[in-house]
């Protein structure tokens, strides 16, 4: 279960010719894993390049290149 997502940094944003935006970013995800009647709390940190593209009513995540993932907690 995800409890919290914190964007740590947006290192760069680049507008593409098709109107999409490339973003280099880092974020943390806090959550819990439940099994065998006990709970493990976790925090993972991620680094990725993502591309979002405008649609009629919202921005859509169209690509993600995960560069790094580390368990912090």
């Amino acid at each position: 279960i995800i409890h919290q997502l914190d964007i740590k940094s947006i290192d760069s944003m680049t507008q593409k010719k098709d109107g999409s935006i490339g973003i280099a970013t880092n974020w943390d995800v806090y959550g819990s894993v439940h099994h065998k009647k006990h709970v493990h709390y976790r925090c993972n940190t991620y680094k990725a390049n993502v591309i979002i593209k405008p649609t009629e009513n919202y921005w859509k995540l169209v690509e993600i290149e995960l560069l790094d993932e580390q368990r912090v907690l």
Side-chain angles (χ1 to χ4, degrees):
I1 299 171
I2 294 175
H3 300 281
Q4 183 175 330
L5 186 144
D6 293 334
I7 297 174
K8 293 170 45 178
S9 68
I10 294 175
D11 300 322
S12 67
M13 294 177 70
T14 307
Q15 181 133 16
K16 313 265 184 201
K17 290 181 182 179
D18 66 356
S20 65
I21 297 176
I23 305 168
T25 186
N26 296 280
W27 69 93
D28 291 336
V29 177
Y30 298 85
S32 58
V33 179
H34 302 255
H35 64 94
K36 295 185 181 180
K37 298 186 181 183
H38 66 277
V39 179
H40 297 276
Y41 293 96
R42 298 279 186 253
C43 175
N44 288 357
T45 187
Y46 298 90
K47 179 178 184 176
N49 294 322
V50 300
I51 297 177
I52 58 174
K53 191 170 187 174
T55 66
E56 215 173 281
N57 298 312
Y58 55 88
W59 286 88
K60 181 178 180 180
L61 177 64
V62 294
E63 186 176 320
I64 184 165
E65 175 189 12
L66 189 59
L67 302 173
D68 191 33
E69 174 188 6
Q70 296 194 14
R71 181 171 291 166
V72 177
L73 173 69

